[in-house]
Amino acid sequence: MAGSYGRVLRQPALRRILPGMLVSALGDGMSMVAVAWLAVQIAPADQAGVWTGLAVAAYALPATLGAALLARFVRRFSGVRLVAVDASLRAVVLGGIAALAVAGALGPALYVGLLALSSLLHAWGNAGAYTVVAEVLPEEDRVTGNALVSTFTQAAVLVGPALGGLLLAAVSPGWVIAADAASFAVLAAICWATAPGYTATASPDDATASPDDVTEEPAGGWRTLRSQPKLLGLLAVTCVFFFLYGPVEVALPIHVATEAHASASLLGLYWTVFGVGCTVGGLAAGFLRHQPLWLVVISIIVGWGAALLPLGLTDSVAPGLVGMAIGGLIYGPFTAICTALFQRLSPPSALSRVLAARSALTIPATALGVMLGGPLVSAVGGRQTLLISAVLTIAFGVAVAVVLAVAHNVGQRRELAEAA
């Protein structure tokens, strides 16, 4: 694995871009706290909850719309240019939000609108990061490259909010969002400087692309997914897994606060051990690159469900903390492994569009799970919701394994029949 990481880090484009991705991920982590905090400050007191929810949603969900509507403008961009245009848009719009907030001229409606604008290209930026990995690395090193990219995001969840909280104790939220804008400006500058000399082994507008690829409509990524059952199945599995995870984000705070009667520090500790586990597990994904990737995906789904069981079965803190830490360790490689499957199964000329379409569906899948978590927690309680999420996740993983086993047997029988 060390050799694989060494090859990734010696690749010139990745060696330049990865530090920028780390900086922007930390900036985004800080904004996880600052975006909501600023909404609370500028909204009318009796509408703070509504505007805070809209602000948090606007910072992520419009990426789904951008994936569909903006494809015709960016579908021929290389991975590094996709990262560059997304980072540039975020830097400019977030910088505008910060300036207006510091000047005291930002209203809640304008704030939500600007946040939505800043996120329009984010599905493409996320796709671009993993497209770069596929464009410059051989298949055997892609899991490792994916692991580095995904681990930066997971580490940002661990470090960024804490750093943002410290800054908010000293400065206003506008300045923290300004720091996030600056982090995206750093990433954009690195990517634009890298783009002129960038060479890709499988560029989205490769000369080998078919005429259908060249004249394809903006829904090209969706069309590719629909035409390839394996890709569509992998996307469906990912969306259902993220949907089943969503209620955890609602149930865990309720469980800690109202059922365990503990403080917010315990909630922070749960997420901290989960984040540490995710970071370690993400970096260790390189160990799994020679294993059957579908088997790894199924094992992660079942393992994450099993790790949730202590939280759903007992109010004791220690088993829950161990479960969250192990759950993070198990979940950590998921993005890297799943993305490697997309990179392997997608036509090179359509890779960025397929990855953008994937992001467009997986982002709202988690959000829908979170939305479902609210009424579910109200109906059965936090701990029971965690147990339901755990059991359904395990059952889903087993069901996917059965479907794949049946499909494999049917395929073998068909091959034997054709051979006969």
Side-chain angles (χ1 to χ4, degrees), residues 367-388:
L368 287 172
V370 173
M371 291 172 61
L372 175 66
L376 188 59
V377 168
S378 299
V380 302
R383 185 160 71 85
Q384 290 301 315
T385 299
L386 290 168
L387 181 59
I388 290 171

Side-chain angles (χ1 to χ4, degrees), residues 29-55:
M30 292 190 295
S31 280
M32 289 175 65
V33 178
V35 165
W37 202 255
L38 179 57
V40 171
Q41 288 189 348
I42 65 176
D46 59 340
Q47 300 176 17
V50 173
W51 285 109
T52 300
L54 288 173

Side-chain angles (χ1 to χ4, degrees), residues 340-362:
L341 279 169
F342 272 95
Q343 291 164 335
R344 175 185 297 176
L345 297 173
S346 301
S349 61
L351 178 58
S352 64
R353 282 168 281 165
V354 169
L355 292 177
R358 180 192 68 162
S359 296
L361 291 178
T362 54

